[in-house]
Amino acid sequence: MQEYVLIGQLRMNVDSYRRDVAGGWGFSFYGEGECLELASINFQCPISALYEDVPGLS
């Protein structure tokens, strides 16, 4: 496993953990208006798209 994300339920936020070259874990926080990046699968997505159909958060 190279990366994993935790997606907030009550607020538009995502915590991303990515394994570095030394085998440790780096942390990135993404909030409303930002773009999530998952380097291991070459994926980028606006945070708002993750919440597109969530009432009160989209």
Side-chain angles (χ1 to χ4, degrees):
M1 178 168 57
Q2 295 300 311
E3 294 178 283
Y4 70 94
V5 297
L6 301 172
I7 300 174
Q9 298 179 78
L10 304 176
R11 284 181 269 152
M12 202 177 287
N13 67 315
V14 174
D15 296 340
S16 172
Y17 297 86
R18 181 175 300 137
R19 193 179 302 267
D20 61 26
V21 293
W25 289 95
F27 171 77
S28 296
F29 173 84
Y30 299 92
E32 188 172 356
E34 295 186 285
C35 187
L36 170 65
E37 178 184 357
L38 301 177
S40 63
I41 59 171
N42 193 29
F43 174 82
Q44 297 87 33
C45 171
I47 295 300
S48 59
L50 300 175
Y51 293 89
E52 185 175 331
D53 293 325
V54 179
L57 292 180
S58 52

Coordinates of all heavy atoms in Angstrom, one line a residue:
M1 N 0.9 -1.2 0.0 CA 0.0 0.0 0.0 C 0.9 1.2 0.0 O 1.8 1.3 0.8 CB -0.9 0.0 1.2 CG -1.8 1.2 1.3 SD -3.1 1.1 2.5 CE -2.3 0.9 4.0
Q2 N 0.6 2.2 -0.9 CA 1.4 3.4 -1.0 C 0.7 4.6 -0.5 O 1.4 5.5 0.0 CB 1.8 3.6 -2.5 CG 2.7 2.6 -3.1 CD 4.0 2.5 -2.4 OE1 4.6 3.5 -2.1 NE2 4.4 1.3 -2.0
E3 N -0.6 4.6 -0.5 CA -1.4 5.8 -0.1 C -2.7 5.3 0.5 O -3.2 4.3 0.0 CB -1.7 6.7 -1.2 CG -0.5 7.4 -1.8 CD -0.8 8.3 -3.0 OE1 -1.1 7.8 -4.1 OE2 -0.9 9.5 -2.8
Y4 N -3.2 6.1 1.4 CA -4.6 5.9 1.8 C -5.2 7.2 2.2 O -4.5 8.2 2.6 CB -4.8 4.8 2.9 CG -4.3 5.2 4.3 CD1 -5.1 5.7 5.2 CD2 -3.0 4.9 4.6 CE1 -4.7 6.0 6.5 CE2 -2.5 5.2 5.9 CZ -3.4 5.7 6.8 OH -2.9 6.0 8.1
V5 N -6.5 7.4 2.1 CA -7.2 8.6 2.4 C -8.3 8.4 3.4 O -8.9 7.3 3.4 CB -7.8 9.3 1.2 CG1 -6.6 9.7 0.2 CG2 -8.7 8.5 0.5
L6 N -8.6 9.4 4.2 CA -9.7 9.4 5.1 C -10.6 10.6 4.7 O -10.1 11.7 4.7 CB -9.3 9.6 6.6 CG -8.3 8.5 7.1 CD1 -7.8 8.8 8.5 CD2 -9.1 7.1 7.1
I7 N -11.8 10.3 4.3 CA -12.7 11.4 3.8 C -13.7 11.8 4.9 O -14.4 10.9 5.5 CB -13.5 10.9 2.6 CG1 -12.5 10.5 1.5 CG2 -14.4 12.0 2.1 CD1 -13.1 9.9 0.3
G8 N -13.7 13.1 5.3 CA -14.6 13.6 6.3 C -16.1 13.4 6.0 O -16.5 13.6 4.9
Q9 N -16.9 13.1 7.0 CA -18.3 13.0 6.9 C -19.1 14.2 7.2 O -20.1 14.5 6.6 CB -18.8 11.9 7.8 CG -18.2 10.5 7.6 CD -18.8 9.5 8.6 OE1 -19.9 9.1 8.4 NE2 -18.0 9.2 9.6
L10 N -18.6 15.0 8.1 CA -19.3 16.2 8.6 C -18.8 17.5 7.9 O -19.5 18.5 8.0 CB -19.2 16.3 10.1 CG -19.7 15.1 10.8 CD1 -19.5 15.2 12.3 CD2 -21.2 14.8 10.5
R11 N -17.6 17.5 7.5 CA -17.0 18.7 6.8 C -16.3 18.2 5.5 O -15.9 17.1 5.4 CB -15.9 19.3 7.7 CG -16.5 20.1 8.8 CD -15.4 20.7 9.7 NE -15.2 19.8 10.7 CZ -14.0 19.6 11.4 NH1 -13.0 20.4 11.0 NH2 -13.9 18.7 12.3
M12 N -16.1 19.2 4.6 CA -15.5 18.9 3.4 C -13.9 18.9 3.6 O -13.3 19.9 3.4 CB -15.9 19.9 2.3 CG -15.7 19.5 0.9 SD -16.3 20.7 -0.3 CE -18.0 20.5 -0.2
N13 N -13.4 17.7 4.0 CA -12.0 17.6 4.2 C -11.5 16.2 4.0 O -12.3 15.3 4.2 CB -11.6 18.1 5.6 CG -12.1 17.3 6.7 OD1 -13.3 16.9 6.7 ND2 -11.3 17.0 7.7
V14 N -10.2 16.1 3.6 CA -9.6 14.8 3.3 C -8.2 14.8 3.9 O -7.5 15.7 3.7 CB -9.6 14.5 1.8 CG1 -8.8 13.2 1.5 CG2 -10.9 14.5 1.2
D15 N -7.9 13.7 4.6 CA -6.6 13.4 5.1 C -6.0 12.4 4.2 O -6.6 11.3 3.9 CB -6.6 12.9 6.5 CG -7.2 13.9 7.5 OD1 -7.2 15.1 7.2 OD2 -7.6 13.5 8.6
S16 N -4.8 12.6 3.7 CA -4.1 11.7 2.8 C -2.7 11.3 3.4 O -2.0 12.2 3.9 CB -3.9 12.4 1.5 OG -3.0 11.6 0.6
Y17 N -2.5 10.1 3.4 CA -1.2 9.5 3.9 C -0.5 8.8 2.8 O -1.1 8.0 2.1 CB -1.4 8.5 5.1 CG -2.1 9.2 6.3 CD1 -3.5 9.3 6.3 CD2 -1.3 9.7 7.3 CE1 -4.1 9.9 7.4 CE2 -1.9 10.3 8.4 CZ -3.3 10.4 8.4 OH -3.9 11.0 9.5
R18 N 0.8 9.2 2.6 CA 1.6 8.7 1.4 C 2.9 8.1 2.0 O 3.6 8.8 2.7 CB 1.8 9.8 0.4 CG 2.6 9.4 -0.8 CD 2.7 10.5 -1.8 NE 1.4 10.9 -2.2 CZ 1.0 12.2 -2.4 NH1 1.8 13.2 -2.1 NH2 -0.3 12.5 -2.7
R19 N 3.2 6.9 1.6 CA 4.5 6.3 2.0 C 5.7 7.0 1.2 O 5.6 7.3 0.0 CB 4.5 4.9 1.6 CG 5.7 4.1 2.3 CD 5.7 2.6 2.0 NE 4.4 2.0 2.4 CZ 4.2 1.4 3.6 NH1 5.2 1.4 4.5 NH2 3.1 0.8 3.8
D20 N 6.7 7.4 2.0 CA 7.8 8.1 1.4 C 8.9 7.1 1.0 O 8.8 5.9 1.3 CB 8.4 9.2 2.2 CG 8.9 8.8 3.6 OD1 9.3 7.6 3.7 OD2 8.9 9.6 4.5
V21 N 10.0 7.5 0.4 CA 11.1 6.6 0.0 C 11.8 5.9 1.1 O 12.3 4.8 0.9 CB 12.1 7.4 -0.9 CG1 11.5 7.8 -2.2 CG2 12.8 8.5 -0.1
A22 N 11.7 6.4 2.3 CA 12.3 5.8 3.5 C 11.4 4.8 4.1 O 11.8 4.1 5.1 CB 12.8 6.9 4.5
G23 N 10.2 4.7 3.6 CA 9.2 3.8 4.2 C 8.3 4.4 5.3 O 7.4 3.7 5.8
G24 N 8.5 5.7 5.6 CA 7.7 6.3 6.5 C 6.4 6.9 5.9 O 6.2 6.8 4.6
W25 N 5.5 7.5 6.6 CA 4.3 8.0 6.1 C 4.3 9.5 6.2 O 4.5 10.1 7.3 CB 3.1 7.4 6.9 CG 2.9 6.0 6.6 CD1 3.3 5.0 7.3 CD2 2.2 5.5 5.5 NE1 2.9 3.8 6.7 CE2 2.2 4.1 5.6 CE3 1.5 6.0 4.4 CZ2 1.6 3.2 4.7 CZ3 0.9 5.2 3.5 CH2 1.0 3.8 3.6
G26 N 4.0 10.2 5.1 CA 3.8 11.6 5.1 C 2.3 11.9 5.1 O 1.5 11.1 4.7
F27 N 2.0 13.1 5.6 CA 0.6 13.5 5.8 C 0.3 14.7 5.0 O 1.1 15.7 5.0 CB 0.3 13.7 7.3 CG -1.1 14.4 7.5 CD1 -2.2 13.6 7.5 CD2 -1.2 15.7 7.8 CE1 -3.5 14.1 7.7 CE2 -2.4 16.3 8.1 CZ -3.6 15.5 8.0
S28 N -0.9 14.8 4.3 CA -1.4 16.0 3.6 C -2.9 16.1 4.0 O -3.6 15.2 4.1 CB -1.3 15.8 2.1 OG 0.1 15.7 1.7
F29 N -3.2 17.4 4.2 CA -4.6 17.7 4.5 C -5.2 18.5 3.3 O -4.5 19.4 2.8 CB -4.7 18.6 5.8 CG -6.1 19.1 6.0 CD1 -7.0 18.3 6.7 CD2 -6.5 20.4 5.6 CE1 -8.3 18.8 6.9 CE2 -7.7 20.9 5.9 CZ -8.6 20.1 6.5
Y30 N -6.4 18.2 2.9 CA -7.1 18.9 1.8 C -8.4 19.4 2.3 O -9.1 18.7 2.9 CB -7.3 18.0 0.6 CG -6.0 17.4 0.0 CD1 -5.5 16.2 0.4 CD2 -5.3 18.1 -1.0 CE1 -4.3 15.7 -0.1 CE2 -4.1 17.6 -1.5 CZ -3.7 16.4 -1.1 OH -2.5 15.9 -1.6
G31 N -8.7 20.6 2.0 CA -10.0 21.2 2.4 C -10.8 21.7 1.2 O -10.4 21.6 0.0
E32 N -11.9 22.3 1.5 CA -12.8 22.9 0.4 C -12.0 23.8 -0.5 O -11.2 24.6 -0.1 CB -13.9 23.6 1.1 CG -15.0 24.1 0.1 CD -16.2 24.6 0.8 OE1 -16.3 24.6 2.0 OE2 -17.1 25.1 0.1
G33 N -12.2 23.6 -1.8 CA -11.5 24.4 -2.8 C -10.2 23.9 -3.3 O -9.6 24.4 -4.2
E34 N -9.7 22.8 -2.6 CA -8.4 22.2 -3.0 C -8.6 21.0 -3.9 O -9.7 20.5 -4.1 CB -7.6 21.9 -1.8 CG -7.2 23.1 -1.0 CD -6.4 22.7 0.2 OE1 -6.9 22.2 1.2 OE2 -5.1 23.0 0.1
C35 N -7.5 20.5 -4.4 CA -7.6 19.3 -5.3 C -6.8 18.2 -4.7 O -5.6 18.4 -4.4 CB -7.0 19.7 -6.7 SG -7.1 18.5 -7.9
L36 N -7.4 17.1 -4.5 CA -6.8 15.9 -4.0 C -5.9 15.3 -5.0 O -6.2 15.2 -6.2 CB -7.8 14.9 -3.6 CG -7.4 13.5 -3.2 CD1 -6.5 13.5 -1.9 CD2 -8.6 12.5 -3.0
E37 N -4.7 14.8 -4.6 CA -3.8 14.2 -5.5 C -3.3 12.8 -4.9 O -2.9 12.8 -3.8 CB -2.5 15.0 -5.8 CG -1.5 14.3 -6.7 CD -0.2 15.0 -6.9 OE1 -0.1 16.2 -6.4 OE2 0.6 14.5 -7.6
L38 N -3.5 11.8 -5.7 CA -3.0 10.4 -5.3 C -2.0 10.1 -6.3 O -2.2 9.6 -7.4 CB -4.2 9.4 -5.3 CG -5.3 9.7 -4.4 CD1 -6.4 8.7 -4.5 CD2 -4.9 9.8 -2.9
A39 N -0.7 10.3 -6.0 CA 0.4 10.1 -6.9 C 0.6 8.6 -7.3 O 1.0 8.4 -8.4 CB 1.7 10.6 -6.2
S40 N 0.3 7.7 -6.4 CA 0.5 6.3 -6.8 C -0.4 5.8 -7.9 O 0.0 4.8 -8.6 CB 0.2 5.4 -5.5 OG -1.1 5.5 -5.1
I41 N -1.5 6.5 -8.2 CA -2.3 6.1 -9.3 C -2.6 7.2 -10.3 O -3.5 7.1 -11.1 CB -3.7 5.5 -8.8 CG1 -4.4 6.5 -8.0 CG2 -3.5 4.2 -8.0 CD1 -5.9 6.1 -7.6
N42 N -1.7 8.2 -10.2 CA -1.8 9.4 -11.1 C -3.2 9.9 -11.2 O -3.8 10.0 -12.3 CB -1.3 9.0 -12.5 CG -1.0 10.2 -13.3 OD1 -0.8 11.3 -12.8 ND2 -1.2 10.1 -14.6
F43 N -3.8 10.3 -10.0 CA -5.2 10.7 -9.9 C -5.2 12.1 -9.3 O -4.6 12.3 -8.2 CB -6.0 9.7 -9.1 CG -7.4 10.1 -8.8 CD1 -8.4 9.9 -9.8 CD2 -7.7 10.7 -7.6 CE1 -9.7 10.3 -9.5 CE2 -9.1 11.0 -7.3 CZ -10.0 10.8 -8.3
Q44 N -6.0 13.0 -9.8 CA -6.3 14.3 -9.2 C -7.8 14.6 -9.3 O -8.4 14.2 -10.3 CB -5.5 15.5 -10.0 CG -4.0 15.4 -9.9 CD -3.5 14.6 -11.0 OE1 -4.0 14.5 -12.1 NE2 -2.4 13.8 -10.8
C45 N -8.3 15.2 -8.3 CA -9.8 15.4 -8.2 C -10.0 16.6 -7.3 O -9.5 16.6 -6.2 CB -10.4 14.1 -7.7 SG -12.1 14.3 -7.3
P46 N -10.9 17.5 -7.7 CA -11.3 18.6 -6.7 C -12.0 17.9 -5.5 O -12.8 17.0 -5.7 CB -12.2 19.4 -7.5 CG -12.2 19.0 -8.9 CD -11.5 17.6 -9.0
I47 N -11.8 18.4 -4.4 CA -12.4 17.9 -3.2 C -14.0 18.0 -3.3 O -14.7 17.1 -2.9 CB -12.0 18.6 -1.9 CG1 -10.5 18.4 -1.7 CG2 -12.8 18.3 -0.7 CD1 -10.1 17.0 -1.4
S48 N -14.4 19.0 -3.9 CA -15.9 19.2 -4.1 C -16.5 18.1 -4.9 O -17.7 17.7 -4.6 CB -16.2 20.6 -4.8 OG -15.6 20.6 -6.0
A49 N -15.8 17.4 -5.8 CA -16.3 16.3 -6.6 C -16.6 15.1 -5.7 O -17.5 14.3 -6.0 CB -15.4 16.0 -7.7
L50 N -15.8 15.0 -4.6 CA -16.0 13.8 -3.7 C -17.4 14.0 -3.0 O -17.9 13.0 -2.5 CB -14.9 13.7 -2.7 CG -13.5 13.5 -3.3 CD1 -12.5 13.6 -2.2 CD2 -13.4 12.2 -4.0
Y51 N -17.8 15.2 -2.8 CA -19.0 15.5 -2.0 C -20.2 15.9 -2.9 O -21.2 16.5 -2.4 CB -18.7 16.6 -1.0 CG -17.7 16.2 0.1 CD1 -16.4 16.4 -0.1 CD2 -18.2 15.6 1.3 CE1 -15.5 16.0 0.9 CE2 -17.3 15.3 2.2 CZ -16.0 15.4 2.1 OH -15.1 15.1 3.0
E52 N -20.1 15.6 -4.2 CA -21.1 16.1 -5.2 C -22.5 15.8 -4.8 O -23.4 16.6 -4.9 CB -20.8 15.5 -6.5 CG -21.6 16.0 -7.6 CD -21.2 15.5 -9.0 OE1 -20.0 15.2 -9.2 OE2 -22.1 15.3 -9.8
D53 N -22.8 14.6 -4.3 CA -24.2 14.2 -4.0 C -24.5 14.1 -2.5 O -25.4 13.4 -2.1 CB -24.5 12.8 -4.6 CG -24.5 12.9 -6.2 OD1 -24.9 14.0 -6.7 OD2 -24.1 12.0 -6.8
V54 N -23.6 14.8 -1.7 CA -23.8 14.8 -0.2 C -24.6 16.0 0.2 O -24.2 17.1 0.0 CB -22.5 14.7 0.5 CG1 -22.6 14.7 2.0 CG2 -21.6 13.5 0.0
P55 N -25.8 15.8 0.7 CA -26.7 16.9 1.1 C -26.0 17.8 2.2 O -25.4 17.2 3.1 CB -27.9 16.3 1.7 CG -27.9 14.9 1.1 CD -26.5 14.5 0.9
G56 N -26.0 19.1 2.0 CA -25.4 20.0 3.0 C -23.9 20.2 2.8 O -23.4 21.1 3.5
L57 N -23.3 19.4 2.0 CA -21.8 19.6 1.8 C -21.4 19.8 0.4 O -20.3 20.1 0.1 CB -21.1 18.3 2.4 CG -21.1 18.1 3.9 CD1 -20.3 16.8 4.2 CD2 -20.5 19.3 4.6
S58 N -22.3 19.6 -0.5 CA -22.0 19.8 -1.9 C -22.2 21.2 -2.4 O -22.7 22.1 -1.7 CB -22.8 18.9 -2.8 OG -24.2 19.0 -2.6

